[in-house]
Short mmCIF file of all heavy atoms in Angstrom, two decimals:
data_model
loop_
_atom_site.label_atom_id
_atom_site.label_comp_id
_atom_site.label_asym_id
_atom_site.label_seq_id
_atom_site.Cartn_x
_atom_site.Cartn_y
_atom_site.Cartn_z
N MET G 875 -7.64 -15.26 12.78
CA MET G 875 -7.28 -13.80 12.57
C MET G 875 -5.76 -13.62 12.63
O MET G 875 -5.14 -13.99 13.54
CB MET G 875 -8.03 -12.98 13.69
CG MET G 875 -7.72 -11.45 13.65
SD MET G 875 -8.63 -10.64 12.36
CE MET G 875 -8.06 -8.95 12.58
N ALA G 876 -5.27 -13.04 11.61
CA ALA G 876 -3.81 -12.78 11.59
C ALA G 876 -3.49 -11.72 12.66
O ALA G 876 -4.31 -10.93 13.05
CB ALA G 876 -3.42 -12.31 10.17
N ASN G 877 -2.29 -11.72 13.05
CA ASN G 877 -1.94 -10.69 14.01
C ASN G 877 -0.93 -9.65 13.46
O ASN G 877 -0.47 -8.75 14.23
CB ASN G 877 -1.40 -11.28 15.33
CG ASN G 877 -0.35 -12.34 15.04
OD1 ASN G 877 0.37 -12.19 14.13
ND2 ASN G 877 -0.23 -13.25 15.97
N ARG G 878 -0.64 -9.85 12.21
CA ARG G 878 0.21 -8.82 11.55
C ARG G 878 -0.05 -8.74 10.10
O ARG G 878 -0.42 -9.71 9.48
CB ARG G 878 1.70 -9.31 11.83
CG ARG G 878 2.66 -8.13 11.59
CD ARG G 878 4.09 -8.65 11.78
NE ARG G 878 4.47 -9.56 10.59
CZ ARG G 878 5.42 -9.35 9.90
NH1 ARG G 878 6.18 -8.42 9.96
NH2 ARG G 878 5.66 -10.18 8.86
N LEU G 879 0.03 -7.54 9.57
CA LEU G 879 -0.14 -7.44 8.03
C LEU G 879 1.10 -6.68 7.55
O LEU G 879 1.44 -5.64 8.08
CB LEU G 879 -1.50 -6.65 7.81
CG LEU G 879 -1.75 -6.56 6.32
CD1 LEU G 879 -2.73 -7.66 5.96
CD2 LEU G 879 -2.30 -5.19 5.94
N LYS G 880 1.68 -7.27 6.58
CA LYS G 880 2.89 -6.69 5.99
C LYS G 880 2.55 -6.21 4.57
O LYS G 880 1.92 -6.94 3.78
CB LYS G 880 3.98 -7.80 5.89
CG LYS G 880 5.24 -7.35 5.17
CD LYS G 880 6.35 -7.28 6.14
CE LYS G 880 7.60 -7.03 5.38
NZ LYS G 880 8.41 -5.96 6.06
N VAL G 881 2.90 -4.98 4.35
CA VAL G 881 2.58 -4.35 3.00
C VAL G 881 3.83 -4.20 2.28
O VAL G 881 4.97 -3.76 2.80
CB VAL G 881 2.02 -2.93 3.24
CG1 VAL G 881 1.72 -2.30 1.81
CG2 VAL G 881 0.72 -2.97 4.06
N ILE G 882 3.88 -4.56 0.99
CA ILE G 882 5.05 -4.64 0.15
C ILE G 882 4.79 -3.89 -1.11
O ILE G 882 3.63 -4.26 -1.72
CB ILE G 882 5.55 -6.02 -0.15
CG1 ILE G 882 5.81 -6.76 1.15
CG2 ILE G 882 6.71 -6.03 -1.06
CD1 ILE G 882 5.44 -8.20 1.18
N VAL G 883 5.54 -2.93 -1.47
CA VAL G 883 5.29 -2.30 -2.82
C VAL G 883 6.44 -2.49 -3.71
O VAL G 883 7.58 -2.62 -3.30
CB VAL G 883 5.09 -0.75 -2.59
CG1 VAL G 883 3.82 -0.51 -1.82
CG2 VAL G 883 6.28 -0.09 -1.99
N ASP G 884 6.19 -2.58 -4.97
CA ASP G 884 7.19 -2.73 -5.97
C ASP G 884 7.28 -1.44 -6.74
O ASP G 884 6.44 -1.06 -7.63
CB ASP G 884 6.83 -3.86 -6.98
CG ASP G 884 7.92 -4.09 -8.03
OD1 ASP G 884 8.76 -3.33 -8.23
OD2 ASP G 884 7.93 -5.27 -8.53
N ARG G 885 8.26 -0.57 -6.36
CA ARG G 885 8.46 0.70 -6.93
C ARG G 885 8.80 0.66 -8.46
O ARG G 885 8.59 1.66 -9.16
CB ARG G 885 9.39 1.61 -6.19
CG ARG G 885 9.01 1.72 -4.72
CD ARG G 885 9.93 2.65 -3.95
NE ARG G 885 9.45 4.04 -4.22
CZ ARG G 885 10.14 4.91 -4.74
NH1 ARG G 885 11.40 4.64 -5.16
NH2 ARG G 885 9.75 6.15 -4.89
N GLN G 886 9.28 -0.44 -8.94
CA GLN G 886 9.59 -0.60 -10.36
C GLN G 886 8.33 -0.74 -11.18
O GLN G 886 8.24 -0.26 -12.30
CB GLN G 886 10.43 -1.84 -10.57
CG GLN G 886 11.67 -1.98 -9.73
CD GLN G 886 12.70 -0.98 -10.20
OE1 GLN G 886 12.75 -0.51 -11.34
NE2 GLN G 886 13.51 -0.56 -9.20
N LYS G 887 7.28 -1.32 -10.60
CA LYS G 887 6.00 -1.52 -11.27
C LYS G 887 5.11 -0.27 -11.20
O LYS G 887 4.27 -0.04 -12.10
CB LYS G 887 5.23 -2.69 -10.65
CG LYS G 887 5.71 -4.07 -11.11
CD LYS G 887 4.66 -5.04 -10.60
CE LYS G 887 5.10 -6.50 -10.74
NZ LYS G 887 4.08 -7.40 -10.12
N CYS G 888 5.22 0.42 -10.12
CA CYS G 888 4.31 1.57 -9.82
C CYS G 888 4.30 2.57 -10.94
O CYS G 888 5.32 2.89 -11.47
CB CYS G 888 4.75 2.33 -8.55
SG CYS G 888 3.88 3.78 -8.23
N VAL G 889 3.11 2.97 -11.40
CA VAL G 889 2.98 3.99 -12.44
C VAL G 889 2.50 5.35 -11.89
O VAL G 889 2.18 6.27 -12.65
CB VAL G 889 2.01 3.47 -13.50
CG1 VAL G 889 2.50 2.24 -14.26
CG2 VAL G 889 0.62 3.22 -12.96
N GLY G 890 2.47 5.52 -10.67
CA GLY G 890 2.24 6.84 -10.01
C GLY G 890 0.86 7.33 -10.07
O GLY G 890 0.59 8.53 -10.05
N SER G 891 -0.18 6.44 -10.16
CA SER G 891 -1.48 6.81 -10.43
C SER G 891 -2.12 7.38 -9.11
O SER G 891 -3.14 8.13 -9.27
CB SER G 891 -2.35 5.61 -10.89
OG SER G 891 -2.40 4.66 -9.86
N GLY G 892 -1.67 7.07 -7.99
CA GLY G 892 -2.11 7.59 -6.72
C GLY G 892 -3.36 7.08 -6.10
O GLY G 892 -3.73 7.52 -4.99
N GLU G 893 -3.94 6.02 -6.69
CA GLU G 893 -5.07 5.39 -6.03
C GLU G 893 -4.87 5.00 -4.58
O GLU G 893 -5.60 5.18 -3.66
CB GLU G 893 -5.65 4.22 -6.77
CG GLU G 893 -6.63 4.46 -7.88
CD GLU G 893 -5.94 4.55 -9.24
OE1 GLU G 893 -4.60 4.86 -9.28
OE2 GLU G 893 -6.49 4.15 -10.19
N CYS G 894 -3.66 4.44 -4.40
CA CYS G 894 -3.29 3.92 -3.02
C CYS G 894 -3.35 5.03 -2.00
O CYS G 894 -3.70 4.86 -0.86
CB CYS G 894 -2.02 3.18 -2.99
SG CYS G 894 -0.59 4.13 -3.65
N VAL G 895 -2.81 6.24 -2.42
CA VAL G 895 -2.70 7.34 -1.49
C VAL G 895 -4.14 7.82 -1.19
O VAL G 895 -4.43 8.20 0.00
CB VAL G 895 -1.85 8.44 -2.07
CG1 VAL G 895 -1.75 9.61 -1.14
CG2 VAL G 895 -0.47 7.98 -2.41
N PHE G 896 -5.00 7.79 -2.11
CA PHE G 896 -6.36 8.20 -1.96
C PHE G 896 -7.06 7.23 -1.02
O PHE G 896 -7.83 7.63 -0.17
CB PHE G 896 -7.17 8.21 -3.28
CG PHE G 896 -8.49 8.78 -3.27
CD1 PHE G 896 -8.69 10.12 -3.10
CD2 PHE G 896 -9.61 7.94 -3.34
CE1 PHE G 896 -9.99 10.65 -2.97
CE2 PHE G 896 -10.91 8.41 -3.30
CZ PHE G 896 -11.08 9.77 -3.17
N THR G 897 -6.79 5.92 -1.23
CA THR G 897 -7.52 4.92 -0.45
C THR G 897 -7.04 4.72 0.99
O THR G 897 -7.79 4.56 1.92
CB THR G 897 -7.38 3.56 -1.18
OG1 THR G 897 -7.94 3.66 -2.56
CG2 THR G 897 -8.16 2.42 -0.46
N ALA G 898 -5.69 4.84 1.17
CA ALA G 898 -5.06 4.66 2.47
C ALA G 898 -3.94 5.55 2.63
O ALA G 898 -2.75 5.22 2.65
CB ALA G 898 -4.56 3.15 2.61
N PRO G 899 -4.27 6.87 2.92
CA PRO G 899 -3.17 7.92 3.11
C PRO G 899 -2.35 7.68 4.33
O PRO G 899 -1.27 8.35 4.41
CB PRO G 899 -3.99 9.18 3.24
CG PRO G 899 -5.36 8.75 3.55
CD PRO G 899 -5.64 7.44 3.03
N GLU G 900 -2.84 6.82 5.27
CA GLU G 900 -1.92 6.52 6.46
C GLU G 900 -0.83 5.51 6.12
O GLU G 900 0.06 5.47 6.89
CB GLU G 900 -2.85 5.91 7.56
CG GLU G 900 -4.10 6.79 8.00
CD GLU G 900 -5.26 6.54 7.13
OE1 GLU G 900 -5.19 5.75 6.10
OE2 GLU G 900 -6.37 6.98 7.56
N ILE G 901 -1.02 4.92 4.97
CA ILE G 901 -0.03 3.84 4.64
C ILE G 901 0.86 4.29 3.48
O ILE G 901 2.06 3.97 3.37
CB ILE G 901 -0.70 2.55 4.22
CG1 ILE G 901 -1.67 2.05 5.38
CG2 ILE G 901 0.29 1.39 3.89
CD1 ILE G 901 -2.47 0.87 5.07
N PHE G 902 0.24 4.96 2.47
CA PHE G 902 0.97 5.25 1.26
C PHE G 902 1.14 6.79 1.08
O PHE G 902 0.21 7.53 1.33
CB PHE G 902 0.19 4.70 0.05
CG PHE G 902 -0.07 3.21 0.09
CD1 PHE G 902 -1.24 2.77 0.55
CD2 PHE G 902 0.89 2.27 -0.26
CE1 PHE G 902 -1.57 1.33 0.62
CE2 PHE G 902 0.72 0.92 -0.16
CZ PHE G 902 -0.56 0.49 0.26
N ASP G 903 2.27 7.09 0.31
CA ASP G 903 2.46 8.48 -0.08
C ASP G 903 3.13 8.39 -1.43
O ASP G 903 3.49 7.30 -1.91
CB ASP G 903 3.36 9.24 0.94
CG ASP G 903 3.25 10.71 0.77
OD1 ASP G 903 2.50 11.25 -0.15
OD2 ASP G 903 3.96 11.42 1.55
N GLN G 904 3.31 9.45 -2.01
CA GLN G 904 3.99 9.52 -3.39
C GLN G 904 5.16 10.38 -3.34
O GLN G 904 5.16 11.48 -2.73
CB GLN G 904 3.00 10.00 -4.47
CG GLN G 904 1.96 8.93 -4.87
CD GLN G 904 0.99 9.54 -5.94
OE1 GLN G 904 0.07 10.25 -5.50
NE2 GLN G 904 1.15 9.25 -7.21
N ASP G 905 6.19 9.95 -3.96
CA ASP G 905 7.44 10.83 -4.14
C ASP G 905 7.09 12.10 -4.80
O ASP G 905 6.47 12.08 -5.91
CB ASP G 905 8.44 10.06 -4.83
CG ASP G 905 9.81 10.73 -4.78
OD1 ASP G 905 9.98 11.86 -5.30
OD2 ASP G 905 10.73 10.10 -4.27
N GLU G 906 7.45 13.19 -4.19
CA GLU G 906 7.15 14.43 -4.75
C GLU G 906 7.74 14.68 -6.12
O GLU G 906 7.14 15.43 -7.04
CB GLU G 906 7.65 15.62 -3.90
CG GLU G 906 6.59 16.00 -2.81
CD GLU G 906 7.09 17.11 -1.88
OE1 GLU G 906 7.83 17.97 -2.41
OE2 GLU G 906 6.66 17.07 -0.79
N ALA G 907 8.85 14.11 -6.40
CA ALA G 907 9.54 14.29 -7.64
C ALA G 907 8.97 13.56 -8.84
O ALA G 907 8.66 14.06 -9.86
CB ALA G 907 11.07 13.88 -7.52
N ASP G 908 8.77 12.19 -8.57
CA ASP G 908 8.38 11.36 -9.70
C ASP G 908 6.96 10.64 -9.50
O ASP G 908 6.46 10.01 -10.34
CB ASP G 908 9.35 10.27 -10.10
CG ASP G 908 9.77 9.46 -8.76
OD1 ASP G 908 8.92 9.48 -7.89
OD2 ASP G 908 10.71 8.71 -8.89
N GLY G 909 6.31 10.88 -8.30
CA GLY G 909 4.97 10.36 -8.13
C GLY G 909 4.89 8.83 -7.76
O GLY G 909 3.93 8.25 -7.53
N ILE G 910 6.20 8.30 -7.69
CA ILE G 910 6.20 6.89 -7.38
C ILE G 910 5.86 6.63 -5.89
O ILE G 910 6.24 7.43 -5.04
CB ILE G 910 7.57 6.28 -7.75
CG1 ILE G 910 7.87 6.48 -9.25
CG2 ILE G 910 7.70 4.81 -7.39
CD1 ILE G 910 6.73 5.89 -10.15
N VAL G 911 5.19 5.43 -5.64
CA VAL G 911 4.67 5.17 -4.23
C VAL G 911 5.84 5.14 -3.24
O VAL G 911 6.96 4.65 -3.55
CB VAL G 911 3.90 3.84 -4.32
CG1 VAL G 911 4.79 2.61 -4.58
CG2 VAL G 911 3.17 3.67 -2.99
N MET G 912 5.50 5.63 -2.04
CA MET G 912 6.37 5.40 -0.85
C MET G 912 5.59 4.93 0.20
O MET G 912 4.45 5.33 0.45
CB MET G 912 7.04 6.82 -0.53
CG MET G 912 7.85 7.33 -1.53
SD MET G 912 8.74 8.88 -0.95
CE MET G 912 7.43 9.79 -0.15
N LEU G 913 6.05 3.99 1.07
CA LEU G 913 5.46 3.36 2.12
C LEU G 913 5.69 4.32 3.40
O LEU G 913 6.84 4.58 3.69
CB LEU G 913 5.98 1.95 2.36
CG LEU G 913 5.18 0.87 1.80
CD1 LEU G 913 5.85 -0.47 2.20
CD2 LEU G 913 3.74 0.84 2.02
N LEU G 914 4.59 4.63 4.06
CA LEU G 914 4.78 5.31 5.32
C LEU G 914 5.00 4.37 6.48
O LEU G 914 5.60 4.62 7.42
CB LEU G 914 3.55 6.22 5.59
CG LEU G 914 3.26 7.35 4.51
CD1 LEU G 914 2.05 8.07 4.83
CD2 LEU G 914 4.49 8.26 4.47
N THR G 915 4.33 3.13 6.30
CA THR G 915 4.58 2.03 7.19
C THR G 915 4.36 0.78 6.50
O THR G 915 3.48 0.62 5.61
CB THR G 915 3.53 2.10 8.44
OG1 THR G 915 3.65 0.91 9.18
CG2 THR G 915 2.11 2.28 7.94
N ASP G 916 5.15 -0.23 6.80
CA ASP G 916 4.88 -1.55 6.19
C ASP G 916 4.17 -2.51 7.10
O ASP G 916 3.96 -3.67 6.66
CB ASP G 916 6.22 -2.12 5.64
CG ASP G 916 7.18 -2.47 6.73
OD1 ASP G 916 6.93 -2.21 7.88
OD2 ASP G 916 8.27 -3.13 6.34
N THR G 917 3.86 -2.07 8.23
CA THR G 917 3.11 -2.91 9.21
C THR G 917 2.04 -2.08 9.85
O THR G 917 2.10 -1.67 11.00
CB THR G 917 3.99 -3.52 10.24
OG1 THR G 917 4.81 -2.50 10.85
CG2 THR G 917 4.94 -4.68 9.72
N PRO G 918 0.94 -1.75 9.07
CA PRO G 918 -0.06 -0.84 9.54
C PRO G 918 -0.84 -1.52 10.65
O PRO G 918 -0.97 -2.68 10.83
CB PRO G 918 -0.89 -0.61 8.39
CG PRO G 918 -0.70 -1.74 7.45
CD PRO G 918 0.79 -2.15 7.67
N GLU G 919 -1.49 -0.66 11.43
CA GLU G 919 -2.24 -1.19 12.63
C GLU G 919 -3.55 -1.83 12.00
O GLU G 919 -3.98 -1.52 10.87
CB GLU G 919 -2.69 -0.01 13.53
CG GLU G 919 -3.35 1.14 12.79
CD GLU G 919 -3.74 2.29 13.79
OE1 GLU G 919 -4.72 2.14 14.47
OE2 GLU G 919 -3.04 3.32 13.75
N ALA G 920 -4.16 -2.71 12.81
CA ALA G 920 -5.27 -3.53 12.39
C ALA G 920 -6.43 -2.69 11.79
O ALA G 920 -7.09 -3.10 10.78
CB ALA G 920 -5.78 -4.39 13.47
N ALA G 921 -6.61 -1.53 12.21
CA ALA G 921 -7.75 -0.62 11.83
C ALA G 921 -7.54 -0.28 10.37
O ALA G 921 -8.39 0.18 9.66
CB ALA G 921 -7.84 0.59 12.66
N LEU G 922 -6.36 -0.41 9.82
CA LEU G 922 -6.06 0.05 8.50
C LEU G 922 -5.93 -1.14 7.49
O LEU G 922 -5.66 -0.99 6.27
CB LEU G 922 -4.75 0.78 8.45
CG LEU G 922 -4.70 2.10 9.24
CD1 LEU G 922 -3.30 2.69 9.22
CD2 LEU G 922 -5.77 3.04 8.66
N TRP G 923 -6.15 -2.40 8.01
CA TRP G 923 -5.94 -3.52 7.15
C TRP G 923 -6.89 -3.57 6.00
O TRP G 923 -6.51 -3.92 4.81
CB TRP G 923 -6.04 -4.84 7.95
CG TRP G 923 -4.91 -5.02 8.89
CD1 TRP G 923 -3.81 -4.09 9.20
CD2 TRP G 923 -4.62 -6.12 9.69
NE1 TRP G 923 -3.04 -4.63 10.04
CE2 TRP G 923 -3.47 -5.85 10.50
CE3 TRP G 923 -5.28 -7.36 9.82
CZ2 TRP G 923 -2.97 -6.76 11.34
CZ3 TRP G 923 -4.75 -8.26 10.81
CH2 TRP G 923 -3.55 -7.98 11.45
N ASP G 924 -8.21 -3.29 6.27
CA ASP G 924 -9.15 -3.25 5.08
C ASP G 924 -8.73 -2.31 4.00
O ASP G 924 -8.76 -2.60 2.86
CB ASP G 924 -10.50 -2.84 5.63
CG ASP G 924 -11.30 -3.99 6.25
OD1 ASP G 924 -10.77 -5.15 6.16
OD2 ASP G 924 -12.36 -3.68 6.82
N ALA G 925 -8.28 -1.13 4.43
CA ALA G 925 -7.80 -0.16 3.41
C ALA G 925 -6.58 -0.65 2.74
O ALA G 925 -6.46 -0.36 1.53
CB ALA G 925 -7.51 1.15 4.18
N ALA G 926 -5.68 -1.44 3.34
CA ALA G 926 -4.52 -1.91 2.72
C ALA G 926 -4.84 -2.92 1.69
O ALA G 926 -4.37 -2.88 0.54
CB ALA G 926 -3.54 -2.50 3.74
N HIS G 927 -5.80 -3.80 1.99
CA HIS G 927 -6.37 -4.78 1.10
C HIS G 927 -6.97 -4.05 -0.14
O HIS G 927 -6.72 -4.58 -1.34
CB HIS G 927 -7.31 -5.77 1.64
CG HIS G 927 -6.69 -6.83 2.53
ND1 HIS G 927 -5.82 -7.71 1.99
CD2 HIS G 927 -6.63 -7.04 3.82
CE1 HIS G 927 -5.41 -8.59 2.98
NE2 HIS G 927 -5.92 -8.07 4.12
N ARG G 928 -7.72 -3.06 0.16
CA ARG G 928 -8.49 -2.32 -0.92
C ARG G 928 -7.39 -1.72 -1.91
O ARG G 928 -7.59 -1.79 -3.06
CB ARG G 928 -9.35 -1.30 -0.38
CG ARG G 928 -10.75 -1.47 -0.74
CD ARG G 928 -11.70 -0.40 -0.21
NE ARG G 928 -11.39 0.60 0.61
CZ ARG G 928 -11.51 0.61 1.97
NH1 ARG G 928 -12.07 -0.41 2.53
NH2 ARG G 928 -11.10 1.68 2.64
N ALA G 929 -6.39 -1.09 -1.27
CA ALA G 929 -5.44 -0.42 -2.13
C ALA G 929 -4.71 -1.43 -3.01
O ALA G 929 -4.43 -1.16 -4.24
CB ALA G 929 -4.45 0.24 -1.19
N ALA G 930 -4.41 -2.67 -2.43
CA ALA G 930 -3.73 -3.69 -3.31
C ALA G 930 -4.61 -4.05 -4.43
O ALA G 930 -4.13 -4.24 -5.58
CB ALA G 930 -3.38 -4.84 -2.35
N ARG G 931 -5.92 -4.26 -4.22
CA ARG G 931 -6.87 -4.65 -5.27
C ARG G 931 -6.98 -3.63 -6.34
O ARG G 931 -7.09 -3.84 -7.49
CB ARG G 931 -8.25 -4.95 -4.72
CG ARG G 931 -8.39 -6.35 -4.03
CD ARG G 931 -9.86 -6.70 -3.93
NE ARG G 931 -10.66 -5.73 -3.20
CZ ARG G 931 -10.75 -5.67 -1.80
NH1 ARG G 931 -10.17 -6.52 -1.12
NH2 ARG G 931 -11.50 -4.74 -1.28
N GLN G 932 -6.98 -2.34 -5.90
CA GLN G 932 -7.24 -1.21 -6.82
C GLN G 932 -6.01 -0.80 -7.60
O GLN G 932 -6.18 -0.09 -8.62
CB GLN G 932 -7.79 -0.05 -6.04
CG GLN G 932 -9.23 -0.29 -5.56
CD GLN G 932 -9.65 0.84 -4.57
OE1 GLN G 932 -8.83 1.64 -4.07
NE2 GLN G 932 -10.90 0.85 -4.33
N CYS G 933 -4.86 -1.07 -7.13
CA CYS G 933 -3.67 -0.60 -7.87
C CYS G 933 -3.69 -1.11 -9.34
O CYS G 933 -3.60 -2.24 -9.59
CB CYS G 933 -2.45 -1.14 -7.17
SG CYS G 933 -0.91 -0.66 -8.10
N PRO G 934 -3.56 -0.14 -10.26
CA PRO G 934 -3.68 -0.53 -11.68
C PRO G 934 -2.40 -1.24 -12.18
O PRO G 934 -2.43 -1.86 -13.24
CB PRO G 934 -3.87 0.79 -12.39
CG PRO G 934 -3.31 1.80 -11.48
CD PRO G 934 -3.55 1.30 -10.12
N ALA G 935 -1.40 -1.16 -11.40
CA ALA G 935 -0.08 -1.77 -11.80
C ALA G 935 0.28 -3.00 -11.10
O ALA G 935 1.36 -3.53 -11.30
CB ALA G 935 1.05 -0.68 -11.62
N ASN G 936 -0.72 -3.40 -10.22
CA ASN G 936 -0.39 -4.63 -9.41
C ASN G 936 0.82 -4.48 -8.59
O ASN G 936 1.64 -5.48 -8.56
CB ASN G 936 -0.44 -5.83 -10.36
CG ASN G 936 -0.82 -7.12 -9.61
OD1 ASN G 936 -1.38 -7.01 -8.56
ND2 ASN G 936 -0.60 -8.26 -10.22
N ALA G 937 1.15 -3.34 -8.09
CA ALA G 937 2.46 -3.02 -7.43
C ALA G 937 2.42 -3.20 -5.91
O ALA G 937 3.44 -3.02 -5.29
CB ALA G 937 2.89 -1.65 -7.84
N ILE G 938 1.23 -3.55 -5.40
CA ILE G 938 1.05 -3.64 -3.94
C ILE G 938 0.72 -5.00 -3.58
O ILE G 938 -0.20 -5.59 -4.14
CB ILE G 938 -0.10 -2.64 -3.45
CG1 ILE G 938 0.23 -1.20 -3.81
CG2 ILE G 938 -0.22 -2.83 -1.86
CD1 ILE G 938 -0.87 -0.27 -3.56
N ARG G 939 1.44 -5.53 -2.61
CA ARG G 939 1.14 -6.89 -2.03
C ARG G 939 0.85 -6.79 -0.56
O ARG G 939 1.56 -5.95 0.13
CB ARG G 939 2.27 -7.80 -2.28
CG ARG G 939 1.97 -8.83 -3.34
CD ARG G 939 3.11 -9.81 -3.59
NE ARG G 939 3.91 -10.27 -2.51
CZ ARG G 939 5.17 -10.24 -2.29
NH1 ARG G 939 5.96 -9.71 -3.21
NH2 ARG G 939 5.76 -10.71 -1.26
N VAL G 940 -0.12 -7.56 -0.04
CA VAL G 940 -0.25 -7.60 1.47
C VAL G 940 -0.16 -9.03 1.81
O VAL G 940 -0.75 -9.88 1.26
CB VAL G 940 -1.57 -6.92 1.86
CG1 VAL G 940 -1.47 -5.47 1.77
CG2 VAL G 940 -2.79 -7.51 1.05
N GLU G 941 0.59 -9.25 2.94
CA GLU G 941 0.68 -10.65 3.50
C GLU G 941 0.31 -10.55 4.87
O GLU G 941 0.83 -9.86 5.72
CB GLU G 941 2.14 -10.99 3.37
CG GLU G 941 2.68 -11.31 1.94
CD GLU G 941 4.15 -11.58 1.90
OE1 GLU G 941 4.74 -11.65 2.93
OE2 GLU G 941 4.61 -11.81 0.77
N GLU G 942 -0.64 -11.47 5.26
CA GLU G 942 -1.03 -11.67 6.62
C GLU G 942 -0.26 -12.74 7.33
O GLU G 942 0.04 -13.75 6.66
CB GLU G 942 -2.52 -11.98 6.74
CG GLU G 942 -3.44 -10.82 6.32
CD GLU G 942 -4.86 -11.02 6.61
OE1 GLU G 942 -5.21 -11.91 7.31
OE2 GLU G 942 -5.73 -10.23 6.06
N GLY G 943 0.10 -12.41 8.51
CA GLY G 943 0.87 -13.51 9.20
C GLY G 943 0.79 -13.48 10.71
O GLY G 943 -0.09 -12.76 11.20
S1 SF4 J 1105 -2.06 2.67 -6.84
FE1 SF4 J 1105 -0.29 1.39 -7.58
S2 SF4 J 1105 0.46 2.46 -9.45
FE2 SF4 J 1105 -0.80 3.92 -8.28
S3 SF4 J 1105 0.62 5.01 -6.93
FE3 SF4 J 1105 -0.18 3.33 -5.78
S4 SF4 J 1105 1.37 1.75 -6.11
FE4 SF4 J 1105 1.66 3.17 -7.61
#
């Protein structure tokens, strides 16, 4: 079991679709001006890891990466 999960977003790739915010609102938000993803935390607590993985899988732009360490 990993003891840390790191979330990385690529704001250049993000197309502002918002799935990540819907899936994991504790981790992701969108910029009010352009809709591009913003990270609320890059090391979410363990209870949010499943949601982080789901968000990474669902992102249509492949802009979210999660690394366990
Ligand atoms: S799901 Fe992907 S493309 Fe959509 S807002 Fe989140 S990071 Fe951006």
